[in-house]
């Protein structure tokens, strides 16, 4: 994936043997889209700005986002009404994760928010179309 915003209105599924890679990309899930990562997984490096979104779900989207396989995301996840489920493996998110529910079975999600100091006042957070 080249830098840019990619909006999906249906199911996004990465299956065995599949891999999604990108630099400076943002995946947007509309109100009914789902994301299921398996196979060789997903790797997206976001711009240096730690406020950059890597995964953004519409406020009406209450799907379950499934991580199973290699996941490395260099930015923030915002899916306010969705569930993020880690089924197996260790998944890395270099940013903030804002979801309704976080569920793990045999997987693990490592979250770091490097570059966001605790004493800073949060700025306005928005995704503009």
């Amino acid at each position: 994936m080249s830098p840019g915003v990619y909006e999906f209105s249906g199911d996004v599924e990465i299956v065995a043997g599949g891999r999604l890679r990108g630099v400076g990309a943002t995946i947007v899930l509309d109100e009914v889209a789902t994301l299921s990562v398996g196979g060789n997984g997903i790797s997206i490096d976001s711009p240096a700005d730690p406020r950059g979104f890597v995964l953004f779900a519409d406020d009406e989207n209450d799907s379950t986002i499934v991580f199973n396989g290699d996941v490395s995301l260099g930015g923030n996840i915002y899916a306010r009404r969705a569930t993020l489920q880690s089924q197996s493996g260790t998944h890395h998110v270099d940013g903030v994760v804002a979801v309704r529910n976080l569920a793990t079975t045999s997987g693990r999600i490592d979250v770091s928010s490097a570059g966001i100091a605790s004493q800073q006042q949060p700025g306005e957070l928005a995704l503009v179309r």
Side-chain angles (χ1 to χ4, degrees):
M1 299 174 82
S2 298
V5 177
Y6 298 85
E7 184 171 359
F8 295 93
S9 58
D11 298 340
V12 179
E13 187 173 3
I14 301 170
V15 297
R19 182 163 189 82
L20 181 63
R21 300 178 117 179
V23 175
T26 297
I27 295 175
V28 176
L29 304 174
D30 76 0
E31 62 273 356
V32 297
T34 64
L35 174 64
S36 178
V37 178
N40 292 326
I42 185 171
S43 174
I44 299 178
D45 292 324
S46 196
D49 185 347
R51 296 171 296 175
F53 291 108
V54 172
L55 178 60
F56 184 93
D58 184 280
D59 277 345
E60 298 301 315
N61 186 320
D62 61 358
S63 69
T64 298
I65 298 166
V66 179
F67 287 171
N68 182 20
D70 298 331
V71 174
S72 177
L73 301 174
N76 300 308
I77 295 175
Y78 176 84
R80 186 176 68 87
R81 294 192 60 214
T83 295
L84 178 58
Q85 182 177 24
S86 173
Q87 291 184 340
S88 68
T90 299
H91 316 295
H92 302 281
V93 179
D94 293 329
V96 174
V97 175
V99 295
R100 174 176 276 176
N101 296 308
L102 184 61
T104 60
T105 49
S106 62
R108 180 175 128 183
I109 299 175
D110 289 338
V111 178
S112 68
S113 55
I116 301 175
S118 61
Q119 294 184 359
Q120 289 179 331
Q121 292 293 325
E124 183 175 334
L125 195 58
L127 184 64
V128 178
R129 292 184 191 203

